[in-house]
Amino acid sequence: MPREAYVNGRYVPHAQAAVHIEDRGYQFADGVYEVVTIHRGTLIDEEPHLNRLERSLDELRIAMPMSRPALKLVARELIRRNAVSNGIVYLQVTRGVAPRDHKFPGHARPALVMTTRQMKPHSTKLLEDGAKVIAVPDIRWARCDIKSVSLLPNVLAKQAASEAEAYEAWQVDADGFVTEGSSTNAWIVTGEGTVVTRAVGQEILNGITRISLLKLIESHGYTLEERAFSLEEAKAAKEAFITSSTSFVLAVTQIDDTPVGNGHPGILTGKLRRHYFDFMDRAGDPI
Ligand code: PMP
């Protein structure tokens, strides 16, 4: 069965799926996206992802390409057609196709593309060793809260990580504080056992995994602070980890050349990862 994609109203073979060269996503990165986890055939945190999609679109004054129930239907149909059990749905909405001109076109219809991908579980080695991250300067724009497809700084950051044989790059602002990873949110655990992650604002994306983990942290009674932490504080932390819809909760054991804590995945990080997987096993029931 060939893999299929959904492109502007049609299910098409993935290999032949295409958009017009004057799609504004292609010309201007004038669009937004979402990545939703499929865990055991079920979409995790679908509503919060759609809320964030609507918010990103609103901020850019792009209309929803179809109603929410219709979007959900297409996602389910694509998962069914591609028989995905564990993986992701990728959903992208752009301002549409129009002759190239920076200002908004008068009549373009928002364009919608959806794909799915089956994904393997993380390797035992990654889970046992934890992830290495490197620090890079945060060179992005001032609206990182919008999940825009304009990802060049993130691409460059991840490439730098890859060349350093690291899993992720932590972006650091002009004051020396970590904003977030190139495609993940950044967390540390202090010597006192307090979980710390940056408060939301326009400097970071409010990760959906971040939001669910915050609820789990609260419901299990762990101590939490939502505040900025410096790269220096992170290197001296007891534990560190990242979150995202594809990394879930993943231990960070090295930042640049500095081991975090004892250089092994942290105990609290391990507990949080298990809580998050329990949450997914319950198919994302409200926490
Ligand atoms: N920050 C950035 C810059 C990201 O691209 C992502 C992944 N979409 C995240 C954080 C994590 O967000 P989520 O938990 O919704 O995957």
Side-chain angles (χ1 to χ4, degrees):
M1 188 178 65
R3 191 177 162 209
E4 290 184 31
Y6 177 88
V7 184
N8 292 323
R10 288 198 180 82
Y11 297 95
V12 290
H14 190 95
Q16 281 125 48
V19 294
H20 194 273
I21 54 164
E22 283 195 309
D23 186 289
R24 289 178 63 95
Y26 182 62
Q27 300 273 3
F28 295 116
D30 189 0
V32 302
Y33 73 106
E34 281 296 326
V35 175
V36 188
T37 308
I38 305 164
H39 179 72
R40 300 181 177 170
T42 304
L43 289 162
I44 302 299
D45 273 339
E46 184 182 26
E47 293 296 340
H49 278 283
L50 292 178
N51 291 341
R52 187 171 66 185
L53 175 72
E54 278 195 7
R55 180 182 181 278
S56 295
L57 289 171
D58 259 13
E59 292 293 325
L60 301 179
R61 295 196 276 152
I62 301 174
M64 276 281 269
M66 57 173 67
S67 70
R68 224 180 230 246
L71 273 178
K72 291 183 181 181
L73 214 73
V74 173
R76 275 160 187 70
E77 177 60 14
L78 201 58
I79 292 170
R80 191 193 66 75
R81 284 178 185 240
N82 291 330
V84 183
S85 49
N86 292 294
I88 57 157
V89 172
Y90 177 85
L91 192 162
Q92 175 172 312
V93 182
T94 71
R95 204 179 299 279
V97 175
R100 190 179 182 283
D101 183 3
H102 290 58
K103 68 177 184 291
F104 296 175
H107 299 292
R109 279 217 328 268
L112 170 64
V113 167
M114 239 190 260
T115 56
T116 61
R117 195 201 290 183
Q118 178 77 24
M119 288 178 61
K120 291 197 182 80
H122 294 150
S123 72
T124 313
K125 183 168 168 47
L126 179 63
L127 295 179
E128 282 176 359
D129 295 353
K132 174 185 169 183
V133 304
I134 59 162
V136 298
D138 193 336
I139 58 169
R140 298 175 301 164
W141 71 330
R143 291 303 309 271
C144 297
D145 56 316
I146 299 171
K147 201 163 169 58
S148 151
V149 293
S150 174
L151 288 170
L152 258 189
N154 311 56
V155 166
L156 295 177
K158 192 77 99 194
Q159 180 60 21
S162 169
E163 287 170 10
E165 290 179 8
Y167 181 88
E168 177 60 301
W170 275 8
Q171 301 169 101
V172 179
D173 69 18
D175 299 318
F177 292 99
V178 174
T179 50
E180 61 183 334
S182 68
S183 62
T184 57
N185 287 112
W187 306 65
I188 57 169
V189 180
T190 67
E192 292 77 43
T194 302
V195 183
V196 183
T197 196
R198 194 170 174 123
V200 288
Q202 297 188 347
E203 311 78 30
I204 66 165
L205 184 77
N206 193 2
I208 303 302
T209 320
R210 174 189 183 281
I211 295 171
S212 284
L213 192 67
L214 285 177
K215 290 186 194 155
L216 288 167
I217 287 169
E218 198 179 315
S219 70
H220 284 86
Y222 299 112
T223 327
L224 171 86
E225 280 177 22
E226 278 182 82
R227 62 161 172 87
F229 57 85
S230 67
L231 183 62
E232 211 170 274
E233 183 180 5
K235 287 183 178 177
K238 189 156 94 180
E239 303 182 20
F241 61 93
I242 52 179
T243 56
S244 80
S245 303
T246 51
S247 292
F248 312 116
V249 176
L250 185 65
V252 168
T253 48
Q254 190 179 328
I255 304 172
D256 293 328
D257 293 327
T258 310
V260 178
N262 61 9
H264 296 288
I267 289 169
L268 184 49
T269 301
K271 286 184 185 166
L272 294 177
R273 184 177 168 90
R274 278 191 292 281
H275 291 321
Y276 191 74
F277 271 80
D278 288 345
F279 161 69
M280 289 202 293
D281 288 345
R282 294 193 306 271
D285 288 349
I287 299 159

